[in-house]
Amino acid sequence: MKLNQRGLLVVISGPSGVGKGTVRKALFDIPNHDLVYSVSMTTRPPRDGEVDGVDYYFVSKEEFLKRIEEDKFLEWAEFVGNYYGTPKDKVEEQLELGKEVVLEIEVEGALKLRKKVKDAVFIFIVPPGRQALYDRLLKRGTEAKEIIEARVKKADNEFLLAHKYDYIVVNDEVNNAADRIMAIIRAEHAKTERTIHNYLKMLEEKNG
Ligand code: 5GP
């Protein structure tokens, strides 16, 4: 019998520009894991090289609003002029299969989810300094100056919300940050409150 049957919902969050996406990709490159990435839905147009169904499901605003009405999202948020959301059914399906499901989402959606899902793990990624964040957004070069400025302003407010998370991980170096997240996931998985129920059941079966 597996001690943990239901998978763990892992929420990687933090301001735009902290490198959440890169850290998440490095996390999935670590061998021997049982992680599944939850592909989000967005109304933002694809950037060069982004693939529908891999990076995001790209949909129209009408389609997105319809899905909100139909309660199809686990969480959603409007972020700098576009909508982003986590499709509910896929996440539930994977958790039931015992997979660790990883979300990479912005702060507002993460905090909405925190109120709704009590047994998820919330990880806040921070840059080694404010300048690093600004540099990263500029270097990405995919957005207009006003959008970058809006994202930096939003990030400044979001840093104040770090205390609402379970863990803070500094993205000083991508692979280090990914290793720290993996360590958190493994430790969370072994937590007594997550395993004790099945452990006691296992003992009963042996004795019975
Ligand atoms: P980007 O446009 O740079 O891909 O994403 C903008 C922000 O939206 C990032 O902080 C990203 O993590 C976040 N994001 C991506 N998918 C979701 C989602 O499903 N829900 C929420 N709340 N935020 C998301």
Side-chain angles (χ1 to χ4, degrees):
M1 176 195 272
K2 263 174 87 180
L3 278 185
N4 267 303
Q5 281 169 340
R6 192 175 156 83
L8 185 69
L9 184 62
V10 180
V11 181
I12 299 179
S13 182
S16 175
V18 296
K20 295 193 291 292
T22 327
V23 171
R24 186 253 302 166
K25 284 183 186 132
L27 178 70
F28 278 81
D29 285 341
I30 297 175
N32 301 324
H33 64 70
D34 215 4
L35 309 177
V36 173
Y37 177 57
S38 159
V39 178
S40 292
M41 196 165 277
T42 185
T43 59
R44 161 171 84 56
R47 295 185 183 127
D48 274 356
E50 283 185 333
V51 177
D52 188 38
V54 175
D55 298 286
Y56 282 105
Y57 296 105
F58 296 99
V59 296
S60 66
K61 191 172 168 189
E62 292 68 37
E63 174 73 28
F64 199 100
L65 295 176
K66 187 166 153 263
R67 280 167 189 262
I68 294 177
E69 282 294 305
E70 294 168 350
D71 195 26
K72 293 264 173 73
F73 293 113
L74 190 59
E75 62 72 41
W76 62 271
E78 196 178 350
F79 180 86
V80 196
N82 288 299
Y83 289 94
Y84 296 82
T86 304
K88 198 194 270 184
D89 49 351
K90 296 214 169 108
V91 171
E92 191 46 40
E93 206 175 277
Q94 297 295 331
L95 289 175
E96 277 300 310
L97 290 172
K99 305 276 184 199
E100 326 285 17
V101 180
V102 177
L103 311 187
E104 180 222 310
I105 62 178
E106 53 69 62
V107 175
E108 186 191 324
L111 294 180
K112 271 200 245 169
L113 199 58
R114 162 123 248 182
K115 292 203 180 117
K116 204 162 135 184
V117 184
K118 297 295 171 207
D119 60 352
V121 183
F122 290 82
I123 303 173
F124 193 77
I125 312 279
V126 293
R130 190 175 179 276
Q131 188 60 38
L133 178 107
Y134 198 68
D135 291 348
R136 188 161 313 132
L137 283 172
L138 278 177
K139 210 163 78 192
R140 189 152 80 188
T142 49
E143 262 84 26
K145 195 162 167 274
E146 310 81 71
I147 294 188
I148 293 174
E149 277 165 7
R151 285 185 176 223
V152 170
K153 200 162 155 225
K154 201 167 168 59
D156 278 341
N157 292 325
E158 289 173 342
F159 283 129
L160 304 173
L161 298 169
H163 66 282
K164 294 186 183 268
Y165 285 72
D166 299 310
Y167 296 93
I168 295 176
V169 166
V170 181
N171 182 17
D172 46 2
E173 201 277 318
V174 175
N175 291 319
N176 288 343
D179 282 345
R180 286 177 197 128
I181 294 177
M182 190 59 93
I184 291 168
I185 295 174
R186 291 191 168 134
E188 278 289 330
H189 208 88
K191 260 199 163 164
T192 306
E193 67 218 44
R194 294 189 199 281
T195 53
I196 191 78
H197 181 72
N198 284 339
Y199 178 65
L200 293 177
K201 229 158 87 184
M202 186 176 79
L203 287 185
E204 264 171 33
E205 278 167 17
K206 281 216 166 128
N207 294 335

